[in-house]
C-alpha cells in the first residue's frame, strides 16, 4: 500500500485530474474538486518543507505575469468602481491552475500524466462531435460538449499542439503511442474544422506555418520548411473546396469592424485606465454602439481592443508584455539545448489563442483562460526538469 500512496503518485493523480477537468471544462464541480485537491496537497507539502522553493520560477515569466495582473488591477482600481475591481479579481482566480500545476510539476512528472488526459479529452469530445456531424442537419456548426462552437475551437487550438509535439518526441520509440497520437491529432483537427470557427481554423493554420518557419530556419533546413508549408496549404485548399460549416463569408462579418471602431472610440474617452472590465457592456450598448451595428455583443471580439478599451493603456500594455514576454522566453529556450516538446507546444498554443483572440474571445473566456494558465504552468515547470538549463 505504501508503494502506491507515495508523494509522486499523489501529485501525478492530482495533475492528471486537473488537466482532464480543465481540458473538458464541462463540469465546474470536477474543476473545483481537482483544484481543491491541488491546494490541499500544496499546503501539506509547504507545512512539511517549510519553504517556498517550489514556487520559485524563471524571472522573466514571473515578471510578465506580475506586470499583467498588476496593470489590470491598477487600471480597475482607478475606475473607482467596485464591479470593475471584482471583475479583475476574477482574472486572478482563473489564474489559480498556474501556481498549482507549476508547484506540483516542478520536481518532474511523467509525460504520460500530462498528455494522456489531453488525449482522452480530445478523443471523447471529438467522438461526440462526429456523432453530431452524422445526426445534425448538414452544414451545422458543431461544438462538441460546448454550447458555442467558437469556445470549443479555442480549447482545441490550445490542446492539439501538445499531443502533436509529444507524438513527434516519441515517434521512433513507441509505435502504439505514435498511432494514438496521430489519431488524436487527426480527430482534433477534424473537430476544429467541424466547429466552423474561421478564426480558430485560421489561427491554427497560421500558427502551424509560424512554428514551421521558426523550427526549420533555426535548424537551417529551408527545403523541408518550404515542403511542409506547401503541404499545409494543400490540405487547407482541399478542406476549403470541400466546404466550411457556416460558410467562408457570413452576414455579420462587418459587425467585427463596427466593434473595433466602437472599442477605439471608447478607448479615446478612457485612454489611461479604460472604461472598466465590468462597464464595457453597458457603455457599448448605451453610448458607443454604432447605428449600423446589428449585433449587441458584450465584448469587442478582439483581445487587444478588449484590454485597451476596458483597462486603458495601463492594462493594454500589461497584456502585450505578458504575451510577448512569454513568447520570447519559450522561443529562446526552445532554441537552446535538448528538445523539449512542451516548449514548442506552448509556443504553438500561445500563437493560436492570441491570433484567434484578434477576431474572437481568446483567453477572455473563463474556460480558455484557465486552460491557458494550466498549460503554461506545466510548460514553465518543465524548465527545471533539465538541470543543465537553469538560466533565467
Amino acid at each position: 500500500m505504501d508503494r502506491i500512496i507515495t508523494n509522486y503518485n499523489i501529485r501525478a493523480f492530482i495533475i492528471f485530474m486537473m488537466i482532464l477537468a480543465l481540458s473538458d471544462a464541462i463540469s465546474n464541480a470536477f474543476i473545483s474538486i481537482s483544484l481543491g485537491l491541488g491546494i490541499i496537497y500544496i499546503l501539506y507539502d509547504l507545512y512539511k518543507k517549510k519553504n517556498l522553493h517550489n514556487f520559485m520560477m524563471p524571472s522573466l515569466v514571473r515578471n510578465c505575469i506580475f506586470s499583467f495582473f498588476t496593470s489590470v488591477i491598477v487600471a480597475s482600481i482607478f475606475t473607482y468602481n467596485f464591479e470593475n475591481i471584482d471583475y479583475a479579481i476574477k482574472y486572478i482566480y482563473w489564474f489559480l491552475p498556474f501556481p498549482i500545476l507549476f508547484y506540483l510539476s516542478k520536481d518532474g512528472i511523467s509525460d504520460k500524466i500530462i498528455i494522456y488526459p489531453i488525449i482522452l479529452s480530445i478523443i471523447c469530445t471529438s467522438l461526440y462531435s462526429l456523432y453530431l456531424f452524422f445526426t445534425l442537419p448538414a452544414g451545422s456548426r458543431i461544438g462538441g460538449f460546448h454550447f458555442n462552437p467558437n469556445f470549443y475551437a479555442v480549447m482545441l487550438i490550445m490542446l492539439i499542439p501538445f499531443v502533436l509535439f509529444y507524438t513527434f518526441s516519441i515517434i521512433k520509440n513507441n509505435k502504439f503511442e505514435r498511432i494514438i497520437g496521430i489519431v488524436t491529432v487527426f480527430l482534433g483537427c477534424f473537430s476544429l474544422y467541424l466547429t466552423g470557427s474561421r478564426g480558430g481554423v485560421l489561427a491554427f493554420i497560421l500558427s502551424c506555418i509560424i512554428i514551421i518557419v521558426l523550427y526549420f530556419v533555426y535548424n537551417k533546413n529551408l527545403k523541408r520548411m518550404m515542403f511542409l508549408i506547401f503541404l499545409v496549404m494543400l490540405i487547407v485548399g482541399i478542406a476549403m473546396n470541400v466546404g466550411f460549416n457556416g460558410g467562408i463569408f457570413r452576414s455579420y462579418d462587418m459587425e467585427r469592424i463596427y466593434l473595433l471602431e466602437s472599442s477605439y472610440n471608447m478607448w479615446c474617452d478612457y485612454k489611461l485606465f479604460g472604461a472598466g472590465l465590468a462597464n464595457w457592456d453597458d457603455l457599448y450598448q448605451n453610448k458607443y454602439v454604432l447605428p449600423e451595428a446589428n449585433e449587441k455583443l458584450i465584448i469587442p471580439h478582439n483581445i487587444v481592443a478588449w484590454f485597451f478599451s476596458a483597462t486603458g493603456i495601463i492594462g493594454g500594455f500589461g497584456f502585450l508584455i505578458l504575451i510577448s514576454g512569454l513568447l520570447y522566453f519559450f522561443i529562446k529556450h526552445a532554441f537552446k539545448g535538448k528538445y523539449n516538446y512542451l516548449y514548442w507546444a506552448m509556443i504553438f498554443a500561445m500563437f493560436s489563442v492570441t491570433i484567434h483572440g484578434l477576431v474572437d474571445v481568446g483567453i477572455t473566456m473563463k474556460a480558455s483562460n484557465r486552460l491557458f494558465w494550466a498549460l503554461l504552468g506545466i510548460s514553465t515547470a518543465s524548465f527545471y526538469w533539465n538541470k543543465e538549463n537553469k538560466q533565467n
Side-chain angles (χ1 to χ4, degrees):
M1 189 68 173
D2 291 339
R3 292 181 180 178
I4 297 174
I5 305 177
T6 64
N7 282 343
Y8 176 86
N9 288 340
I10 294 171
R11 284 195 299 118
F13 173 76
I14 296 171
I15 292 169
F16 185 98
M17 298 301 285
M18 278 188 64
I19 296 174
L20 182 61
L22 292 166
S23 297
D24 281 328
I26 56 177
S27 170
N28 283 325
F30 187 19
I31 292 172
S32 298
I33 290 169
S34 61
L35 289 173
L37 289 173
I39 292 170
I40 291 170
Y41 177 88
I42 290 172
L43 291 174
Y44 176 71
D45 198 54
L46 289 173
Y47 172 76
K48 285 176 57 182
K49 293 179 177 177
K50 293 180 171 55
N51 67 66
L52 299 174
H53 172 75
N54 267 30
F55 280 125
M56 299 298 105
M57 67 185 68
S59 59
L60 179 57
V61 176
R62 181 185 65 244
N63 292 339
C64 287
I65 293 172
F66 179 78
S67 298
F68 170 67
F69 283 114
T70 301
S71 66
V72 171
I73 290 290
V74 168
S76 299
I77 288 172
F78 279 94
T79 62
Y80 305 106
N81 184 313
F82 179 77
E83 289 184 355
N84 293 328
I85 300 170
D86 183 57
Y87 201 124
I89 291 171
K90 285 181 182 177
Y91 274 106
I92 297 177
Y93 172 66
W94 297 347
F95 169 73
L96 200 56
F98 176 92
I100 295 175
L101 284 170
F102 176 80
Y103 187 99
L104 295 177
S105 306
K106 189 176 179 182
D107 289 336
I109 201 72
S110 169
D111 292 326
K112 295 175 175 56
I113 299 300
I114 300 167
I115 297 300
Y116 283 11
I118 296 177
I119 289 176
L120 182 59
S121 172
I122 293 176
I123 288 177
C124 289
T125 55
S126 295
L127 290 177
Y128 184 61
S129 292
L130 285 174
Y131 166 75
L132 294 175
F133 173 66
F134 288 111
T135 56
L136 291 177
S140 298
R141 295 182 61 192
I142 293 169
F145 293 114
H146 299 265
F147 71 91
N148 188 313
N150 288 333
F151 292 176
Y152 182 36
V154 179
M155 308 296 279
L156 284 173
I157 61 177
M158 284 194 286
L159 293 171
I160 295 172
F162 283 82
V163 182
L164 177 64
F165 283 99
Y166 175 72
T167 304
F168 286 155
S169 72
I170 53 91
I171 202 157
K172 296 179 180 179
N173 303 325
N174 192 315
K175 184 177 179 180
F176 176 73
E177 283 193 335
R178 180 173 72 234
I179 293 171
I180 294 296
I182 292 170
V183 169
T184 303
V185 170
F186 174 79
L187 285 173
C189 289
F190 187 62
S191 295
L192 176 60
Y193 171 75
L194 292 179
T195 65
S197 172
R198 296 169 299 171
V201 172
L202 179 63
F204 191 83
I205 293 167
L206 291 178
S207 300
C208 188
I209 292 172
I210 292 169
I211 289 292
I212 290 171
V213 171
L214 283 173
Y215 186 82
F216 288 106
V217 166
Y218 175 73
N219 287 284
K220 299 177 181 178
N221 194 334
L222 298 183
K223 288 183 179 179
R224 184 169 292 184
M225 180 188 78
M226 296 306 297
F227 170 75
L228 287 174
I229 291 175
F230 171 77
L231 184 62
V232 169
M233 298 310 295
L234 179 63
I235 294 170
V236 171
I238 293 171
M240 292 301 100
N241 282 325
V242 170
F244 198 70
N245 289 353
I248 299 294
F249 302 102
R250 297 169 190 170
S251 59
Y252 52 82
D253 285 344
M254 281 302 297
E255 299 294 331
R256 299 295 185 265
I257 305 298
Y258 300 148
L259 277 166
L260 280 177
E261 187 176 343
S262 295
S263 300
Y264 175 76
N265 293 336
M266 192 183 297
W267 174 74
C268 286
D269 290 341
Y270 301 92
K271 280 192 174 70
L272 190 58
F273 299 115
L277 292 164
N279 289 349
W280 198 98
D281 181 14
D282 287 338
L283 280 171
Y284 171 71
Q285 304 288 352
N286 297 318
K287 183 177 179 181
Y288 292 98
V289 61
L290 298 179
E292 55 268 39
N294 295 315
E295 284 191 306
K296 301 298 185 288
L297 300 171
I298 61 173
I299 56 173
H301 281 66
N302 181 300
I303 194 167
V304 176
W306 166 250
F307 280 110
F308 272 93
S309 59
T311 59
I313 293 173
I314 301 294
F317 275 106
F319 172 73
L320 294 179
I321 289 169
L322 174 72
I323 297 300
S324 59
L326 291 177
L327 280 172
Y328 174 77
F329 172 83
F330 284 105
I331 291 172
K332 173 186 174 182
H333 290 290
F335 285 172
K336 289 173 59 177
K338 190 177 178 181
Y339 172 82
N340 183 334
Y341 77 93
L342 287 169
Y343 287 169
W344 287 101
M346 196 64 225
I347 295 167
F348 195 128
M350 275 195 287
F351 272 119
S352 292
V353 77
T354 304
I355 294 170
H356 187 223
L358 296 178
V359 292
D360 212 296
V361 294
I363 59 169
T364 60
M365 179 182 72
K366 180 170 71 172
S368 58
N369 190 290
R370 291 192 298 196
L371 178 61
F372 171 81
W373 290 119
L375 297 173
L376 182 68
I378 292 171
S379 300
T380 305
S382 72
F383 176 79
Y384 293 93
W385 299 350
N386 182 357
K387 301 303 181 183
E388 297 175 358
N389 195 28
K390 285 200 171 185
Q391 295 179 9
N392 289 1

